[in-house]
């Protein structure tokens, strides 16, 4: 049984991997970081560890080996970084809870259960944060219901890691994209709410038509001339967003309908925030509403190297499809392509699926050959895996856009 959307699974299971994916760190001006002095060197130098990154720093103040300190980052990598000592880290014994309290007290903030929970997550994953970001996050936390607290924490971590502005709109968009309510259901609900309005304005009628343009998609076929491609559906969603913005701004709807309009705007904006450019690599995550399949969504993640035209190289890439289907239920399809050689792993619990896949494998190979792809293998795996195997939800991966810092003369 699935209780969370695929996007929520992306957040909850992969943000930790964002930290594990690199042992380097980008530091920017005014960030506050916690570091441990690993070793003192002659000439007033020391080896400092911040998260998984080790920095050789020039000392301008007295510090003790093996102790932990709060540092404020000054300058930039281009201009030269400095780490200014703010204070020694309190907490004996040293725990993420004690350090979280220490950081909150350092900035004279309440050590409430909710505040400690948020800061503990930042401390646990060694995420640098500015004082302004922290105060903004704590303010948003005050206006968040308890049930949405985990969503806000994940959104905050993701926004900071991606170096997005920690604004209310960004955080709310990242919270909305994690909603367990399918995008298709959200669109459908708004359409019927608008139908219930008395004497709708021309703007409302235009919005209804924009919604209908998407709801009318009865079948999703990538290989059909009459079918809509993912790109075309995405364009329809962006057109819908523009119409939603106009309706929201003009105030032609109010109450719960206005709330539905604004929530849908944030949901679509959230998809945009999940598009990443990681140097030569691109990663895109999209939700496509499937109204013909019980108002569910198709969630797709592309990862691959960028070509000169900016598009992902179809010869070397990975595509993951996640669906909640009426009969097949929770289904994940992991497609990996190397030099146009394709391996496919389908993760699903339906026993009858494996013989069906075997039956149609030959036909699939022929179709792929026509597209100049070679199918190397196709496997069906159960979701109920052994402890040493990866659960399908953890195969989704938001790779960190965190850059690297390897300088050796950081002044303290």
């Amino acid at each position: 049984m699935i209780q969370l959307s695929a996007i929520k699974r992306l957040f909850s299971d992969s943000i930790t991997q964002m930290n594990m994916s690199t042992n380097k760190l980008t530091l920017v001006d005014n960030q506050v970081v916690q570091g441990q002095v690993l070793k003192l060197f002659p000439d007033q130098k020391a080896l400092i560890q911040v998260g998984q990154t080790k920095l050789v720093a020039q000392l301008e103040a007295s510090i003790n080996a093996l102790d932990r300190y709060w540092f404020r980052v000054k300058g930039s990598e281009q201009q030269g970084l400095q780490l200014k000592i703010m204070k020694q880290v309190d907490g004996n014994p040293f725990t993420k809870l004690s350090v979280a309290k220490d950081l909150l007290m350092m900035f004279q903030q309440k050590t409430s259960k909710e505040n400690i929970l948020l800061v503990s997550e930042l401390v646990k994953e060694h995420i640098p944060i500015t004082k302004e970001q922290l105060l903004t996050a704590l303010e948003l936390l005050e206006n968040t219901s308890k049930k949405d607290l985990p969503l806000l924490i994940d959104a905050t971590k993701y926004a900071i890691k991606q170096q997005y502005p920690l604004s209310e709109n960004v955080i709310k968009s990242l919270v909305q994209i994690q909603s367990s309510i399918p995008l298709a259901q959200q669109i459908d609900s708004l359409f019927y709410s608008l139908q219930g309005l008395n004497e709708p304005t021309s703007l409302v009628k235009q919005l209804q038509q924009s919604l209908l343009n998407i709801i009318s998609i009865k079948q999703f076929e990538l290989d059909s001339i009459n079918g809509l491609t993912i790109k075309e559906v995405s364009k329809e969603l962006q057109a819908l967003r523009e119409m939603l913005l106009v309706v929201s701004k003009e105030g032609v709807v109010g109450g719960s309908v206005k709330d539905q309009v604004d929530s849908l705007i944030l949901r679509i904006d959230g998809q945009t925030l999940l598009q990443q450019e990681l140097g030569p690599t691109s990663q895109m995550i999209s939700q496509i509403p499937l109204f013909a399949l019980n108002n569910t969504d198709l969630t797709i993640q592309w990862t691959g190297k960028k070509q000169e035209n900016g598009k992902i190289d179809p010869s070397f890439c990975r595509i993951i499809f996640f669906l909640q289907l009426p009969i097949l239920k929770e289904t994940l399809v992991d497609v990996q392509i190397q030099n146009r050689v394709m391996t496919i792993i389908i993760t699903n619990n339906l026993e009858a699926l494996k013989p069906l896949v075997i039956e149609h494998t030959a036909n699939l190979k022929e179709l792929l050959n026509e597209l100049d792809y070679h199918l190397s293998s196709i496997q069906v795996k159960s979701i109920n895996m052994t402890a040493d195997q990866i659960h399908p939800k953890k195969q989704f991966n938001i790779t960190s856009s965190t850059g690297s810092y390897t300088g050796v003369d950081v002044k303290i």
Side-chain angles (χ1 to χ4, degrees):
M1 183 175 66
I2 181 171
Q3 298 294 334
L4 301 175
S5 70
I7 293 292
K8 169 56 187 168
R9 288 172 181 246
L10 285 174
F11 271 79
S12 62
D13 292 301
S14 65
I15 291 182
T16 300
Q17 285 186 326
M18 292 167 65
N19 296 312
M20 297 170 60
S21 64
T22 177
N23 62 354
K24 297 180 180 178
L25 179 73
T26 293
L27 298 176
V28 298
D29 194 41
N30 283 326
Q31 284 180 329
V32 176
V33 296
Q34 176 213 145
Q36 183 179 23
V37 181
L38 298 181
K39 190 174 182 180
L40 295 174
F41 296 129
D43 301 323
Q44 289 189 300
K45 290 186 178 181
L47 182 64
I48 311 292
Q49 180 163 340
V50 179
Q52 300 300 312
T53 301
K54 296 177 181 179
L55 307 171
V56 176
Q58 180 69 48
L59 306 181
E60 293 185 355
S62 176
I63 58 177
N64 301 317
L66 302 182
D67 283 348
R68 296 176 182 270
Y69 295 86
W70 288 109
F71 300 101
R72 187 189 300 278
V73 179
K74 290 295 183 182
S76 65
E77 292 185 28
Q78 292 76 21
Q79 300 169 345
L81 284 171
Q82 295 184 18
L83 297 180
K84 296 291 186 181
I85 296 176
M86 298 182 69
K87 67 184 294 288
Q88 188 169 345
V89 176
D90 293 333
N92 189 18
F94 177 80
T95 66
K96 67 176 182 179
L97 178 63
S98 64
V99 176
K101 286 183 177 179
D102 190 36
L103 180 61
L104 287 167
M105 290 188 292
M106 186 167 63
F107 289 123
Q108 299 179 327
Q109 299 300 307
K110 294 185 295 185
T111 55
S112 65
K113 181 180 178 180
E114 293 76 16
N115 287 1
I116 290 174
L117 183 59
L118 169 63
V119 177
S120 292
E121 286 297 306
L122 298 174
V123 168
K124 180 180 71 175
E125 299 185 19
H126 306 285
I127 298 175
I129 187 171
T130 67
K131 179 181 179 180
E132 291 72 21
Q133 286 176 323
L134 178 62
L135 297 183
T136 300
L138 295 179
E139 184 178 349
L140 291 171
L141 196 63
E142 288 184 1
N143 301 315
T144 301
S145 63
K146 287 187 177 180
K147 69 180 180 65
D148 287 337
L149 182 59
L151 304 183
L152 181 134
I153 290 174
D154 285 342
T156 301
K157 290 191 294 184
Y158 184 77
I160 294 173
K161 292 287 290 183
Q162 299 302 108
Q163 298 183 27
Y164 291 145
L166 206 60
S167 65
E168 182 177 4
N169 189 69
V170 166
I171 297 301
K172 284 186 174 181
S173 295
L174 291 171
V175 167
Q176 271 293 321
I177 198 65
Q178 299 177 75
S179 172
S180 59
I181 301 172
L183 176 60
Q185 184 178 327
Q186 204 168 343
I187 291 172
D188 197 54
S189 296
L190 177 56
F191 179 76
Y192 284 104
S193 294
L194 294 175
Q195 280 193 318
L197 295 178
N198 295 323
E199 300 181 2
T201 65
S202 59
L203 274 179
V204 170
K205 290 179 181 178
Q206 290 178 52
L207 177 55
Q208 284 180 303
Q209 185 58 51
S210 294
L211 293 165
L212 193 58
N213 289 342
I214 298 177
I215 294 173
S216 296
I217 301 170
K218 298 300 183 186
Q219 193 171 8
F220 186 79
E221 299 176 310
L222 291 179
D223 60 345
S224 169
I225 295 176
N226 296 321
L228 289 175
T229 66
I230 294 171
K231 185 176 180 180
E232 289 169 334
V233 175
S234 297
K235 285 183 178 179
E236 289 286 352
L237 285 173
Q238 288 305 312
L240 171 61
R241 176 186 178 276
E242 296 303 315
M243 195 68 243
L244 289 165
L245 285 171
V246 173
V247 169
S248 179
K249 182 179 179 181
E250 294 298 325
V252 294
V253 294
S256 62
V257 179
K258 174 68 160 55
D259 291 340
Q260 285 180 279
V261 168
D262 291 340
S263 293
L264 191 50
I265 293 171
L266 292 170
R267 180 73 173 263
I268 297 173
D269 285 346
Q271 290 209 38
T272 304
L273 293 173
L274 296 183
Q275 315 309 311
Q276 302 179 43
E277 300 293 332
L278 313 174
T281 302
S282 285
Q283 181 170 277
M284 297 179 290
I285 301 170
S286 300
Q287 281 184 319
I288 306 298
L290 302 180
F291 299 95
L293 294 175
N294 291 358
N295 281 358
T296 189
D297 295 335
L298 167 63
T299 301
I300 310 172
Q301 175 181 297
W302 291 267
T303 306
K305 292 182 178 180
K306 290 186 296 185
Q307 298 174 297
E308 290 185 2
N309 60 7
K311 296 181 180 180
I312 289 179
D313 186 350
S315 299
F316 298 88
C317 61
R318 184 181 186 186
I319 312 168
I320 300 178
F321 303 87
F322 188 99
L323 300 103
Q324 176 71 7
L325 299 170
I327 297 176
L328 293 180
K329 304 302 180 184
E330 186 174 8
T331 304
L332 184 143
V333 182
D334 186 351
V335 180
Q336 299 190 49
I337 303 172
Q338 291 292 323
N339 199 24
R340 306 193 77 84
V341 176
M342 183 181 298
T343 59
I344 301 175
I345 299 176
I346 302 173
T347 306
N348 183 273
N349 269 347
L350 189 68
E351 290 294 330
L353 182 59
K354 187 172 291 186
L356 285 173
V357 169
I358 294 173
E359 179 183 348
H360 293 283
T361 295
N363 187 40
L364 177 60
K365 284 185 176 181
E366 290 181 10
L367 292 172
L368 289 171
N369 285 338
E370 293 176 7
L371 298 172
D372 193 27
Y373 285 97
H374 172 69
L375 179 62
S376 173
S377 66
I378 181 168
Q379 304 175 54
V380 178
K381 294 185 177 181
S382 171
I383 292 176
N384 297 322
M385 294 175 159
T386 59
D388 61 339
Q389 292 175 307
I390 300 176
H391 189 279
K393 67 182 181 181
K394 293 189 178 181
Q395 293 185 36
F396 273 116
N397 189 359
I398 299 179
T399 305
S400 171
S401 66
T402 302
S404 62
Y405 177 72
T406 56
V408 294
D409 285 325
V410 181
K411 292 184 179 180
I412 297 182

